[in-house]
Amino acid sequence: MEAATQAFDGADKIRRAAADLFGERGFDAVSIAHIAERAGSSKANIFHHFGSKEALYFAVLREAVDRSTDHFRDAMRAELDPSQRVERAIRGSLTVLFEDPERARLIFREIMESGPCRAEALANEVFGDDFTALTRLFADIQPAGETEGAVPPSFLAHVLLSCNVMLFHCHQVLRHLPGGEYAEQQEHYIKMLSDVLLSSMRAKQETNA
């Protein structure tokens, strides 16, 4: 048990050192030697825990994304009405972004700079579970028999994440724009976004009525 704990602590220390360095310099400018020096470890130990620099990089990215996934799954399991579940998902996503802004910026920089091959790997190895969990949340909320012609749950997930990313990156500017007070009133923003997402589903139901 003690050996397993030490191994976990060693891997976590490496991951934290790598996160700091990747955030400061970017993927290409950081070597395994740099990470080993920052973590007080060895290159051999890093390869033992993670296998490669890219695998370690993805582990750093996935750590933050996994926290967001946990929020979405909690919202999906919660005994709440649809609006409360969506609000919980929005709030959880925002919490991850604003509590660890450096990690969030590292993720967004990687998305912006990735070529097609790296982008596919990110989708499959880093973001897939997160997006699937959020999509399932909207699918569960969608009334039975209302799927044909309805706004796809995956698109609703896309809108939620896009709005949160926009608020994270631009809230300092948004708050100075006409009507942008919501950028400093997070609970108000969460309620408005939830209403927009759910109203798009209700609009389909009313059209079919």
Side-chain angles (χ1 to χ4, degrees), residues 150-189:
V151 178
S154 58
F155 185 76
L156 295 172
H158 176 95
V159 172
L160 186 158
L161 294 172
S162 298
C163 288
N164 279 2
V165 169
M166 180 70 174
L167 182 68
F168 171 73
H169 280 299
C170 303
H171 65 278
Q172 295 290 6
V173 173
L174 291 172
R175 67 192 182 93
H176 295 295
L177 296 176
E181 297 84 2
Y182 65 85
E184 291 188 312
Q185 301 168 3
Q186 192 172 103
E187 287 302 312
H188 180 50
Y189 162 83

Side-chain angles (χ1 to χ4, degrees), residues 105-167:
R105 292 188 182 97
L106 173 61
I107 291 171
F108 297 132
R109 184 172 67 197
E110 176 61 26
I111 292 171
M112 294 295 292
E113 296 178 356
S114 291
C117 291
R118 179 67 70 81
E120 183 178 5
L122 283 169
N124 292 333
E125 299 181 36
V126 178
F127 300 109
D129 288 346
D130 188 62
F131 192 76
T132 297
L134 185 55
T135 299
R136 285 177 178 168
L137 171 64
F138 284 110
D140 284 351
I141 291 171
Q142 196 169 53
E146 296 292 339
T147 56
E148 184 177 352
V151 178
S154 58
F155 185 76
L156 295 172
H158 176 95
V159 172
L160 186 158
L161 294 172
S162 298
C163 288
N164 279 2
V165 169
M166 180 70 174
L167 182 68

Side-chain angles (χ1 to χ4, degrees), residues 80-122:
L80 302 170
D81 65 39
S83 64
Q84 292 173 318
R85 292 167 75 186
V86 173
E87 287 172 18
R88 179 175 288 193
I90 297 168
R91 188 178 296 108
S93 172
L94 288 175
T95 297
V96 172
L97 293 173
F98 282 97
E99 284 188 351
D100 194 355
E102 293 306 315
R103 188 78 59 95
R105 292 188 182 97
L106 173 61
I107 291 171
F108 297 132
R109 184 172 67 197
E110 176 61 26
I111 292 171
M112 294 295 292
E113 296 178 356
S114 291
C117 291
R118 179 67 70 81
E120 183 178 5
L122 283 169

Side-chain angles (χ1 to χ4, degrees), residues 14 17-18 21-22 25-41 43 46 53:
I14 290 167
L21 286 168
F22 288 139
R25 308 178 191 179
F27 177 80
D28 291 334
V30 175
S31 69
I32 290 293
H34 292 142
I35 298 168
E37 181 180 2
R38 178 72 65 95
S41 186
K43 292 194 290 183
I46 293 173
K53 186 176 86 166

Side-chain angles (χ1 to χ4, degrees), residues 5-98:
T5 300
Q6 290 176 346
F8 176 83
D9 290 344
D12 189 58
K13 190 173 182 180
I14 290 167
R15 190 163 44 240
R16 284 187 279 110
D20 290 342
L21 286 168
F22 288 139
E24 293 166 10
R25 308 178 191 179
F27 177 80
D28 291 334
V30 175
S31 69
I32 290 293
H34 292 142
I35 298 168
E37 181 180 2
R38 178 72 65 95
S41 186
S42 67
K43 292 194 290 183
N45 198 34
I46 293 173
F47 285 121
H48 168 73
H49 284 295
F50 297 98
S52 68
K53 186 176 86 166
E54 185 172 76
L56 172 55
Y57 187 52
F58 281 0
V60 167
L61 299 179
R62 193 161 48 241
E63 186 175 39
V65 175
D66 283 349
R67 290 179 56 215
S68 179
T69 306
D70 289 341
H71 285 294
F72 297 153
R73 287 175 175 157
D74 286 345
M76 190 162 52
R77 291 190 293 261
E79 295 295 328
L80 302 170
D81 65 39
S83 64
Q84 292 173 318
R85 292 167 75 186
V86 173
E87 287 172 18
R88 179 175 288 193
I90 297 168
R91 188 178 296 108
S93 172
L94 288 175
T95 297
V96 172
L97 293 173
F98 282 97

